[in-house]
């Protein structure tokens, strides 16, 4: 008989022996859990606990018996190990072991509160689950660790193929480490500024990252392969549409909660309506709908988003829910476009992973509404639309830089046009262009001339798209909006003074006798220099804060917390008091996250050279624009935080690919990324045909830009001015009976108001109820009142109608006539009556006996 190998019985005996010992530890752990208060049967344990303890004991004894059997019958042990370690059996065993490992990982790090009313069952089962997971880990190690040294050596020998990747990743990681070291030593980006210093970007959960990675494995390895079109264009389009629809439904089913920008639901309709900035954008859209132009000619810097909202209202009406649903359907294209960019820059799994991460990241933003300040796709805010447009710009800028055989004029036109659209949504987007162009010029100077030509096209398209609106002269001004905007930024954000401790000049320049001697002769110059530098000292602080807060969206703790518990970290809960402390586990996971990001940058550089750096170079440009305007954190990160997801997805799959190679899994390299190559002749012919349409594409962007100043000339006025007599007749016919003499006396009262328009955002507040911001009309007041915003031919007003109780309902978006008095202290109408011109008309009148003479008698405060 052939002698058996001693290593087989030792290996098996050691495995089963460790399982038995760990089983006893699980038994002790289970018994140490506090005894059940009810249903005690024996020793204070319930029958269910006794059954569980007995099951763990039996399994432990079986493991010990298997270890003993391994030494008694070594030939059978060796035969079993050989059978399990060969071919399909090895793969099946690895999969079972991986499932057990995953179960044990979840049991180890998932807090019990995830299971809500069933958490006590989880606590009692946790020792058994952890034990089974450890057994799976040991089995996985037995199958994969043999030969690890040889496989790792082969990887090292092949690492010359990854030299550009490793070099670029090393440089990137060095930059990341430098930023973090500077922040740790100086507090730059951590010690708060007095203005617009906000929390980190909305987090991704560790469990979501794991599930997205698992979904990518399953879809890429089984679904697409089984369908027979893994690398076809058909699969790409199917995935694009599927990601779009998945993102929409994921966001659609995530409920909107009360938010500063969408307070509610409140009576009488118990619906959400926009407030503050969101109300400002929606009111601008309302003026487009009534033929008054973008915000009735009042200066505003986000006209394209207002046009977008106006189109949505024209399609679905005034309902907030309907408006938001159509908006999220459009914005759900963002993860899908991110998939296109990632799949073309890296490979399909990377594009799919970054798309799923982006979809869940936005879902978390919607779900985080009650806990932190957020900007997301269910609010009427501009940050996420800007993110979508910037991803599209990155896609075409990448296509332009990737194609080194021609000037890429078509891609340049599209890149410049979409960047122009992004600037018309948030002007900060303009700052990404210098950084992208600088990369294009410096990285490959052998083709500098065609790139300069295409750069000129991008700049020209940017100007063509934004200039029609920027040259518009707003109502009440005598200079173009562009000049007004630049002056406003300089005066309100850059040249303004801020409270700060100024270091004495002599302490700043005490660097040697020679230098002091020079400064005495040129003191005025030196004082002016340091004064100017000190004025801009806020810029690097905000810039570093933007960088740090963006990276913090990645999981950095081993505990698999849910969203609400994750947001208890200080850089969300109270970022102004945060001193740089990190949760447990971040000392390991934060460097790991930075390494994965660096690997993603390195892989993008190896595969696409400078084209792979387009998203990375956009990020400092946008954050610099934020920093100059004294903004950092919170919603100011949303337009660019997708860059972290982008490179994280690439880097995570690169690292996973290497680990699988080291472990001897997937030897056929089914995930091997496709390297970039030259454009094939068929694509070149298609490019020549598409080149004929390039001027038409430029014309489309020009027309979009022209639509902003010209829409007031194309849409008829809905509310032309009407005389007081005409309005008097309308309110009388609606049922508000006022005799002519009383009406004439009212109109002669100082600050009397009688006008009509569209009534929006009906809300009722009890006494002392209201919204935040004490300088706005909807602040808390000591009496109950109904509020409405009326958009008329001249301007918009917030209307306050004192009422004891709310009406049953109020039609949102109907024509109304308001009669009342302009408040002399605050910008609102103290209403006598609101008449809804519906069919039939409805009249809502001020509570109590009120003389129709301005000003009305003060409302008595209520407790």
């Amino acid at each position: 008989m052939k002698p058996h190998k001693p290593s087989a019985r030792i290996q098996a005996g050691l495995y089963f022996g460790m399982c038995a010992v760990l089983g006893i530890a699980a038994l002790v752990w289970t018994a140490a859990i506090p005894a059940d208060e009810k249903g005690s049967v024996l020793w204070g344990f319930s029958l269910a606990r006794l059954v569980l303890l007995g099951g763990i004991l039996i399994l432990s004894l079986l493991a010990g018996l298997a270890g003993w059997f391994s030494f008694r019958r070594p030939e059978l042990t060796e035969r079993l190990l050989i059978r399990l370690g060969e071919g399909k059996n090895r793969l099946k065993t690895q999969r079972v072991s991986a499932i057990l490992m995953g179960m044990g990982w979840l049991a180890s790090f998932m807090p019990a509160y995830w299971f809500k009313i069933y958490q006590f069952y989880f606590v009692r089962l946790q020792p058994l689950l952890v034990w089974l997971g450890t057994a799976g880990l040991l089995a996985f190690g037995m199958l994969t660790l043999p030969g690890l040294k040889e496989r790792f050596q082969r990887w090292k020998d092949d690492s010359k193929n990854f030299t550009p990747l490793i070099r670029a990743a090393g440089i990137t990681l060095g930059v990341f480490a430098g930023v973090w070291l500077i922040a740790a030593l100086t507090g730059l980006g951590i010690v708060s500024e007095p203005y617009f210093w906000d929390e980190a970007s909305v987090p991704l959960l560790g469990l979501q990252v794991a599930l997205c990675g698992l979904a990518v494995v399953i879809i890429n390895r089984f679904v697409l392969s089984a369908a027979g079109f893994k690398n076809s264009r058909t699969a790409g389009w199917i995935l694009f549409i599927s990601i779009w629809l998945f993102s929409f439904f994921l966001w659609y089913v995530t409920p909107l909660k009360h938010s500063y920008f969408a307070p509610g639901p409140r009576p009488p309709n118990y619906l959400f309506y926009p407030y503050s900035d969101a109300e400002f954008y929606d009111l601008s859209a309302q003026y487009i709908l009534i033929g008054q132009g973008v915000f009735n000619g009042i200066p505003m810097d986000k006209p394209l988003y207002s046009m977008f909202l106006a189109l949505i209202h024209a399609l679905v009406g005034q309902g907030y829910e309907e408006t938001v649903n159509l908006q999220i359907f459009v914005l759900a294209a963002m993860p899908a476009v991110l998939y296109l960019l990632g799949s073309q820059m890296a490979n399909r799994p990377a594009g799919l992973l970054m798309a799923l991460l982006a979809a869940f990241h936005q879902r978390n933003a919607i779900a985080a509404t009650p806990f932190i300040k957020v900007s997301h796709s269910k609010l009427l805010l501009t940050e996420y639309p800007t993110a979508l447009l910037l991803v599209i710009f990155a896609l075409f800028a990448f296509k332009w830089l990737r194609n080194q055989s021609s000037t890429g004029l078509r891609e340049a036109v599209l890149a410049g046009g979409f960047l122009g659209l992004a600037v018309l949504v948030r002007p900060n987007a303009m700052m990404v262009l210098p950084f992208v162009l600088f990369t294009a010029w410096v990285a490959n100077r052998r083709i500098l001339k065609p790139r300069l030509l295409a750069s000129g096209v991008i700049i020209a398209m940017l100007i063509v798209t934004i200039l029609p609106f920027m040259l518009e002269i707003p109502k009440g001004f005598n200079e173009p909006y562009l000049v007004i905007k630049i002056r406003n930024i300089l005066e309100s954000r850059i040249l303004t003074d801020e409270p700060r401790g100024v270091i004495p000049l002599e302490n700043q320049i005490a660097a040697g006798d020679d230098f002091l001697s020079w400064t005495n002769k040129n003191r005025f110059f030196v004082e002016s220099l340091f004064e100017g530098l000190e004025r801009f000292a806020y810029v690097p602080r905000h810039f570093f804060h933007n960088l740090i807060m963006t990276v913090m969206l990645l999981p950095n703790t081993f505990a698999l917390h849910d969203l609400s518990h994750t947001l208890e970290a200080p850089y969300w809960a109270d970022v102004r008091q945060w001193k740089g402390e990190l949760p447990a586990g971040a000392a390991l996971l934060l460097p790991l996250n930075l390494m994965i990001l660096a690997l993603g940058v390195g892989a993008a550089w190896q595969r696409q050279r400078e084209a792979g750096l387009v998203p990375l170079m956009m990020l400092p440009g946008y954050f610099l624009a934020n920093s100059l305007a004294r903004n950092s954190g919170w919603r100011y990160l949303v337009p660019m935080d997708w860059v972290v997801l982008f490179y994280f997805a690439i880097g995570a799959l690169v690292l996973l690919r290497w680990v699988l190679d080291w472990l001897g899994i997937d030897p056929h390299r089914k995930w091997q990324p496709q390297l970039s190559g030259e454009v094939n002749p068929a694509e070149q012919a298609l490019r020549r045909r598409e080149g004929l349409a390039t001027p038409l594409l430029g014309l489309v962007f020009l027309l979009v830009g022209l639509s902003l100043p010209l829409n007031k000339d194309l849409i008829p006025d809905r509310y032309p001015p009407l005389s007081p007599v005409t309005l008097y007749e309308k309110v009388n016919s609606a049922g508000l009976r006022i005799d002519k003499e009383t009406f004439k006396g009212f109109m002669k009262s100082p600050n009397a108001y009688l006008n009509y328009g569209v009534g929006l955002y009906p809300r009722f507040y009890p006494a002392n109820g209201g919204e935040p911001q004490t300088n706005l009309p909807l602040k808390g007041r000591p009496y109950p009142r109904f509020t409405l915003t009326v958009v008329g031919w001249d301007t918009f007003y917030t209307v306050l109608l004192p009422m004891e109780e709310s009406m049953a309902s109020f039609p949102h978006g109907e024509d109304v006539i308001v009669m009342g008095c302009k408040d002399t202290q605050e910008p609102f109408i103290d209403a006598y009556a609101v008449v809804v011109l519906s069919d039939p008309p409805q009249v809502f009148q001020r509570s109590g006996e009120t003389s129709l003479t301005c000003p009305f008698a003060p409302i008595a405060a209520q407790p």
Side-chain angles (χ1 to χ4, degrees):
M1 184 176 67
K2 183 179 179 180
H4 60 270
K5 296 180 180 179
S7 61
R9 63 181 180 182
I10 295 175
Q11 190 178 26
L14 184 61
Y15 171 76
F16 288 115
M18 291 183 66
C19 286
V21 172
L22 291 172
I24 299 300
L27 183 71
V28 174
W29 181 3
T30 305
I33 297 172
D36 307 300
E37 297 180 0
K38 298 180 180 179
S40 175
V41 174
L42 182 65
W43 302 320
F45 296 129
S46 66
L47 179 61
R49 181 85 73 88
L50 290 173
V51 171
L52 179 61
L53 290 170
I56 296 176
L57 179 61
I58 292 173
L59 290 176
S60 301
L61 293 175
L62 289 176
L65 183 62
W68 175 81
F69 187 79
S70 300
F71 285 95
R72 295 288 298 175
R73 301 294 300 272
E75 65 281 356
L76 293 179
T77 302
E78 181 181 350
R79 193 181 308 163
L80 177 63
L81 291 178
I82 293 175
R83 185 174 181 83
L84 291 177
E86 288 182 345
K88 292 184 178 181
N89 289 331
R90 180 177 185 272
L91 183 60
K92 291 178 181 179
T93 308
Q94 282 181 329
R95 289 176 179 173
V96 172
S97 301
I99 292 173
L100 291 175
M101 287 167 54
M103 183 175 63
W105 170 67
L106 292 175
S108 300
F109 297 109
M110 181 175 286
Y113 59 72
W114 276 95
F115 300 91
K116 298 182 180 179
I117 62 174
Y118 302 105
Q119 60 181 298
F120 299 105
Y121 296 102
F122 170 75
V123 170
R124 286 156 177 74
L125 288 172
Q126 189 178 28
L128 173 63
L129 298 176
V130 172
W131 176 40
L132 294 176
T134 307
L137 176 63
L138 293 174
F140 192 84
M142 287 180 59
L143 292 171
T144 57
L145 291 183
L148 175 62
K149 182 177 180 180
E150 292 78 8
R151 292 193 297 271
F152 187 76
Q153 185 61 46
R154 286 199 299 270
W155 178 86
K156 287 181 62 177
D157 295 338
D158 293 339
S159 62
K160 60 183 178 181
N161 298 325
F162 304 112
T163 300
L165 186 158
I166 296 173
R167 184 184 298 118
I171 295 173
T172 306
L173 188 59
V175 173
F176 290 165
V179 170
W180 203 263
L181 184 63
I182 292 172
L185 295 178
T186 67
L188 199 66
I190 297 176
V191 179
S192 68
E193 279 279 296
Y195 302 114
F196 307 106
W197 188 271
D198 291 297
E199 53 265 32
S201 182
V202 174
L204 265 175
L205 305 182
L207 187 59
Q208 290 174 332
V209 174
L211 291 176
C212 289
L214 181 61
V216 169
V217 172
I218 294 173
I219 293 172
N220 187 72
R221 190 73 177 270
F222 300 106
V223 177
L224 294 180
S225 297
F229 46 52
K230 185 174 180 180
N231 296 313
S232 69
R233 286 181 174 269
T234 304
W237 283 111
I238 289 175
L239 279 175
F240 178 83
I241 296 172
S242 300
I243 291 168
W244 191 333
L245 294 177
F246 170 77
S247 302
F248 168 69
F249 284 114
L250 179 65
W251 304 348
Y252 177 80
V253 299
T254 305
L256 175 64
K257 302 294 181 64
H258 177 91
S259 165
Y260 172 75
F261 295 110
R266 303 199 186 281
N269 297 340
Y270 293 96
L271 297 173
F272 293 100
Y273 296 112
Y275 178 66
S276 187
D277 289 13
E279 181 180 1
F280 176 84
Y281 303 142
D282 195 55
L283 289 174
S284 180
Q286 300 295 336
Y287 275 109
I288 295 175
L289 291 173
I290 66 174
Q292 304 281 142
V294 179
F295 210 13
N296 201 19
I298 299 173
M300 67 96 63
D301 58 357
K302 302 168 180 69
L304 187 62
Y305 184 64
S306 299
M307 177 68 80
F308 172 68
L309 289 180
L311 289 173
I312 291 180
H313 285 312
L315 291 173
V316 301
Q318 295 288 358
Y320 187 83
E321 184 176 350
E322 294 81 3
T323 301
V324 163
N325 287 341
L326 184 53
Q327 173 173 278
I328 64 172
F329 178 77
V330 175
L331 298 182
M334 196 274 193
V337 178
L338 201 59
Y339 158 76
L340 288 182
L341 178 59
S343 60
Q344 294 184 36
M345 186 178 292
N347 55 19
R348 184 165 290 163
L352 182 58
L353 179 57
M354 62 183 67
L356 292 176
L357 293 178
F360 279 100
H361 185 242
Q362 181 60 193
R363 180 265 169 198
N364 290 352
I366 300 172
T369 303
F371 308 113
I372 60 173
K373 296 183 292 185
V374 290
S375 174
H376 53 69
S377 56
K378 282 195 169 183
L379 297 174
L380 304 187
L381 296 174
T382 59
E383 285 76 21
Y384 206 69
T386 305
L388 171 59
L389 292 170
L390 287 177
V391 172
I392 298 175
F393 163 75
L395 175 63
F396 289 111
F398 160 74
K399 286 175 172 288
W400 161 52
L401 291 180
R402 181 183 63 173
N403 178 32
Q404 300 185 10
S405 59
S406 69
T407 56
L409 293 181
R410 180 177 65 94
E411 289 79 5
V413 167
L414 290 168
F418 277 106
L419 182 60
L421 299 183
V423 171
L424 290 172
V425 175
R426 285 195 75 84
N428 310 45
M430 189 181 298
M431 282 293 289
V432 307
L433 184 59
F435 288 79
V436 173
L437 295 184
F438 178 78
T439 304
W441 299 338
V442 173
N444 198 337
R445 285 173 285 183
R446 293 176 300 173
I447 54 173
L448 183 59
K449 287 185 178 181
R451 287 200 169 171
L452 286 174
L453 174 61
S455 300
V457 172
I458 293 177
I459 296 172
M461 284 305 307
L462 172 65
I463 294 173
V464 163
T465 306
I466 69 173
L467 211 56
F469 180 80
M470 292 296 181
L471 294 181
E472 176 82 354
I473 298 178
K475 183 186 297 184
F477 293 83
N478 56 7
E479 55 189 5
Y481 173 72
L482 180 62
V483 177
I484 298 171
K485 179 63 179 177
I486 293 173
R487 182 186 295 112
N488 180 61
I489 293 175
L490 292 173
E491 293 176 355
S492 65
R493 293 300 180 92
I494 295 179
L495 300 181
T496 184
D497 291 329
E498 57 173 321
R500 61 186 185 273
V502 180
I503 301 175
L505 182 64
E506 53 270 21
N507 293 346
Q508 298 180 39
I509 62 177
D513 293 337
D514 293 339
F515 185 63
L516 285 174
S517 175
W518 180 86
T519 56
N520 288 330
K521 297 177 183 178
N522 303 273
R523 190 169 184 82
F524 176 77
F525 171 79
V526 173
E527 287 180 348
S528 300
L529 174 63
F530 280 110
E531 197 174 307
L533 292 176
E534 177 63 19
R535 179 176 293 278
F536 286 93
Y538 70 88
V539 175
R541 292 195 282 265
H542 276 290
F543 184 79
F544 271 64
H545 188 62
N546 278 313
L547 294 176
I548 294 170
M549 292 297 97
T550 305
V551 174
M552 301 309 288
L553 71 86
L554 296 173
N556 55 16
T557 178
F558 288 105
L560 300 175
H561 284 302
D562 63 7
L563 187 60
S564 62
H565 287 80
T566 300
L567 294 172
E568 292 175 357
Y571 35 84
W572 284 294
D574 191 1
V575 69
R576 290 186 173 275
Q577 301 302 319
W578 183 52
K579 303 303 180 184
E581 63 273 16
L582 296 171
L588 177 62
L589 289 180
L590 182 59
L592 177 63
N593 288 337
L594 295 178
M595 183 188 73
I596 292 174
L597 288 172
L599 283 176
V601 173
W605 168 260
Q606 176 174 347
R607 296 166 189 171
Q608 306 293 350
R609 306 301 291 179
E610 65 272 17
L613 302 182
V614 167
L616 181 67
M617 296 308 296
M618 291 169 60
L619 188 139
Y622 193 91
F623 284 173
L624 179 60
N626 279 351
S627 304
L628 286 169
R630 300 177 188 268
N631 294 327
S632 56
W634 182 26
R635 58 175 174 154
Y636 307 110
L637 305 175
V638 173
M640 289 306 301
D641 59 11
W642 57 269
V643 174
V644 172
L645 305 178
F646 183 87
Y647 288 106
F648 181 82
I650 298 176
L653 291 186
V654 168
L655 183 60
L656 179 61
R657 173 71 270 160
W658 289 351
V659 171
L660 292 178
D661 283 347
W662 300 337
L663 296 178
I665 301 173
D666 195 20
H668 300 294
R669 297 177 178 269
K670 294 182 180 180
W671 281 14
Q672 188 64 38
Q674 298 293 326
L675 298 179
S676 60
E678 293 295 325
V679 181
N680 58 47
E683 189 171 344
Q684 288 179 341
L686 179 62
R687 187 179 300 278
R688 284 193 295 270
R689 292 196 300 271
E690 291 176 339
L692 300 176
T694 299
L696 295 178
L697 293 174
L699 180 60
V700 170
F701 288 107
L702 174 61
L703 292 176
V704 173
L706 287 172
S707 69
L708 297 174
L710 294 181
N711 64 74
K712 62 180 178 295
D713 300 316
L714 301 175
I715 301 175
D717 288 349
R718 181 176 171 183
Y719 300 105
L722 296 180
S723 67
V725 174
T726 303
L727 293 175
Y728 169 73
E729 293 173 352
K730 286 181 175 291
V731 298
N732 260 2
S733 62
L736 182 63
R737 302 301 180 185
I738 303 174
D739 61 75
K740 288 186 177 181
E741 294 303 320
T742 303
F743 176 75
K744 289 179 181 179
F746 166 74
M747 293 305 298
K748 292 178 181 178
S749 302
N751 298 313
Y753 179 85
L754 178 64
N755 207 343
Y756 82 122
V758 58
L760 302 168
Y761 326 133
R763 301 179 178 100
F764 179 84
Y765 296 97
N768 301 311
E771 304 297 344
Q773 294 291 348
T774 57
N775 62 333
L776 296 179
L778 298 188
K779 67 181 182 181
R781 299 180 188 274
Y783 55 90
R785 65 221 177 269
F786 169 75
T787 69
L788 189 71
T789 299
V790 177
V791 176
W793 63 269
D794 52 349
T795 185
F796 69 94
Y797 276 105
T798 299
V799 175
L800 272 60
L801 181 67
M803 300 179 69
E804 293 296 331
E805 295 180 355
S806 173
M807 64 282 288
S809 64
F810 190 95
H812 171 63
E814 286 281 354
D815 291 354
V816 298
I817 299 176
V818 176
M819 177 179 287
C821 304
K822 293 181 181 178
D823 190 86
T824 57
Q825 302 296 323
E826 299 181 57
F828 71 87
I829 302 299
D830 189 13
Y832 175 79
V834 176
V835 177
V836 183
L837 301 178
S838 56
D839 186 18
Q842 303 176 63
V843 178
F844 301 96
Q845 205 164 342
R846 189 184 186 93
S847 295
E849 296 293 333
T850 302
S851 174
L852 193 55
T853 304
C854 293
F856 299 137
I859 304 297
Q862 295 188 7

